[in-house]
Amino acid sequence: MNRPKITFGKISFAKASSATAKEAETPENTGFGTFGQSKTVNQLNEAIEEIADDLESQHVKEVMGISGFGRKAKSFDIAEQIAKAKESAPVRAVGESVEEEEEDVIGPLPPADFSAHTSAEGEKKKEKKVREDSDDSEDDEEDEEEEKDDDLVKRIPSTHEVAMQHGSRAVIALSADPSGARLASGSVNYDLCFWDFAGMDTSMRAFRTLQPCENYPIRGIQYSVTGDRILVISGNSQAKILDRDGFEKLECVKGDQYITDMARTKGHTAQLTAGCWHPGKKEEFLTSSLDATLRIWEANNGKQQKIVIKTRAQGGLRTLPHSCTYNRDATLIAAGCSDGSIQMWDTRRMFVNTTHCIRAAHTRDSEVSCVTFSHLGSQLASRSCDGSMKLWDMRNLRQSVFTFSDLFARYDTTDCVFSPDDAILVTGESLDRDKVAASVQFFDTRTSEKIHVIPVTDSHVIKVIWHPKLNQIFVGCGNGTIKCFYDDKRSLRGAKLCVVKTYRKKKHVEVVGTTQVITPHALPMFRQEKSRSSRKKLEKERADPVKSRKPDLPITSGQGGRVASSGGTLSSYVIRNLGLSKRVDDDQDPREAILKYAKEAAENPYWIAPAYAKTQPKPIFNATDGDGGPDAKKPKTEE
């Protein structure tokens, strides 16, 4: 069956006939006065309708995928139509105002001097407005500066604080998981504690405590980039890697102490000072030691280091590194040395010579306890035991940008950190003799002003961490306390998960699982007892004095092999066990107690007199006075 083919012709609006056009031009249709539409406006409207019609048809063709609707529609040039409309528009007279062109005037015309008066007032208003805008701009600039200062202080999460007790000794190592789920802390008492924020309650107790390096203090801890491993730097010469739960995965080899050239040993030969993970490679980490070397290791091979970097003083002799770090893109390695210098090497070149070296960065013979790069990598901050902290620009390392002084540091692991937006530099200070409490101080990296101070504790402040994801600040103190500062609105998770959980004491319930085989026709001697409920079993055990461990009753008498409370001496114990019916008091005179039985013993002897009755001689006493006694012994005379 042949179906008729459907075609589309030209789609357009019906044009008015000539008669209709003439009727539209009559005064009745044009309107009264200036209320009607002019001829130019009608032409513009017709041109716009045709253009809209053409655009609409073209859009429909694109949507439906049809090349054309029957005959080809007439094309229009928009620029040409607008030019024709401008040419046909009536020319405005010279004396007409702009307001008459834009909007038709209804009513009587204004006076002749009205325009001049209006223009003068307009100029005055413009000048006044310009002055007010300038004053407002100056005030706005001052307000912006104040708001900037206020904004920096508001960025610091310090509205709430929580304390966690690591121990009684100083916490000199602190590290947080990159995801913010856990925190690890190390102390000089050899303990390493793990804190899980999701599993803790308001008691804030560590879920695991261990000693990974035996009797060596924990000097440094750092989680890996993925958070599955922990690098532990101790007072030993061997670094260790632990997994997330604290089990040992790797221990670096110890070098030969009798080899002079440190590049020929397989590991460090002296105490470790610092260490850190590679920010990009999860299998690479860096350590520094008092053997004047920095060594790069691979986590899957602890039997030998990968690269050895030697730190040199100005005269070519060796100097001891006390801190080391990578920059954010791992193109530079920086080390702070004991001679006050900061040395940097480019990881894309050989490590023979330094790429950047600041010899007089800090006071000589004062350890540079920390060097850290900003998040953008354009700035470097250094902290020293000489009581100063400096900010350096990586484009010009000849002189520090800012120097912050009067920051007493007692521990050689005191550090400094940047805020997540690099606008604030944070460090802690040790407790000086003339101060009551140590504090964490915040400095503006653009103006070097001290914008905020948080008093922490009456001990030293050693380690500071500003976690970028949690927006929380963790502080390790000298009395074994770890303080966590957070903002109730700006901070996320972390310690906020613990403070809302209440501690509930767990009830220990003994559950005994027994599998009983039912044998209905068994003999009585092999028959099993029926299982009783746990409640009845506990009541029965409670009644049994042995199983319930019933304490002994208080002592009221001396029987049963026990000494009464009134008879604590050996003599009273012996007398009470002789079977005497009468009670002997310990507080009376023993002579009177014996003489009390003298008459009874003489009349009815029982112990001694009957035994010696036959053989006992009669006593004969001397009845003479003292005057009839024998003469005194004559003295010996010499012949």
Side-chain angles (χ1 to χ4, degrees), residues 123-137:
E123 291 178 358
K124 290 181 180 180
K125 289 181 180 180
K126 287 181 180 179
E127 291 178 358
K128 186 177 180 181
K129 188 176 182 181
V130 169
R131 287 196 299 268
E132 291 177 354
D133 292 341
S134 62
D135 295 338
D136 293 340
S137 62

Side-chain angles (χ1 to χ4, degrees), residues 337-342 358-368:
C337 304
S338 60
D339 61 346
S341 65
I342 299 175
I358 312 172
R359 289 294 177 187
H362 290 275
T363 308
R364 190 176 180 83
D365 297 332
S366 62
E367 299 89 352
V368 180

Side-chain angles (χ1 to χ4, degrees), residues 141-276:
E141 289 178 358
E142 294 177 359
D143 295 339
E144 285 178 0
E145 291 179 358
E146 293 178 357
E147 287 178 0
K148 286 180 181 179
D149 297 338
D150 295 340
D151 290 339
L152 287 179
V153 177
K154 289 180 181 178
R155 293 178 192 174
I156 301 172
S158 60
T159 57
H160 297 72
E161 67 175 86
V162 177
M164 297 176 285
Q165 194 65 35
H166 176 95
S168 59
R169 305 294 295 277
V171 179
I172 60 175
L174 203 63
S175 179
D177 185 14
S179 62
R182 288 187 178 181
L183 179 74
S185 60
S187 175
V188 295
N189 62 352
Y190 325 131
D191 289 339
L192 177 64
C193 294
F194 293 91
W195 313 81
D196 189 2
F197 296 113
M200 286 193 300
D201 49 21
T202 53
S203 60
M204 306 298 284
R205 297 178 182 176
F207 77 93
R208 181 162 296 159
T209 302
L210 50 94
Q211 292 185 357
C213 302
E214 298 178 353
N215 297 328
Y216 291 99
I218 309 299
R219 292 183 55 87
I221 305 171
Q222 189 177 19
Y223 275 92
S224 62
V225 182
T226 55
D228 58 341
R229 286 175 293 184
I230 305 172
L231 176 63
V232 180
I233 304 297
S234 65
N236 193 8
S237 60
Q238 298 170 273
K240 288 188 178 182
I241 295 178
L242 309 180
D243 64 357
R244 190 173 178 82
D245 296 325
F247 297 100
E248 184 176 330
K249 290 292 184 182
L250 175 71
E251 183 180 11
C252 297
V253 69
K254 185 178 181 180
D256 192 350
Q257 298 178 348
Y258 298 99
I259 296 178
T260 307
D261 190 2
M262 290 292 103
R264 297 184 179 276
T265 60
K266 296 182 178 180
H268 288 291
T269 60
Q271 172 187 339
L272 297 175
T273 56
C276 64

Side-chain angles (χ1 to χ4, degrees), residues 546-595:
V546 178
K547 291 184 178 181
S548 63
R549 297 180 182 179
K550 183 179 180 182
D552 295 334
L553 298 174
I555 299 173
T556 56
S557 63
Q559 298 179 359
R562 294 179 296 174
V563 182
S565 60
S566 60
T569 60
L570 180 62
S571 59
S572 63
Y573 176 75
V574 173
I575 291 170
R576 283 186 176 82
N577 286 292
L578 291 178
L580 299 177
S581 59
K582 294 184 179 180
R583 182 180 177 85
V584 178
D585 296 329
D586 295 337
D587 55 351
Q588 64 180 351
D589 189 7
R591 185 173 180 276
E592 293 180 358
I594 295 173
L595 292 177

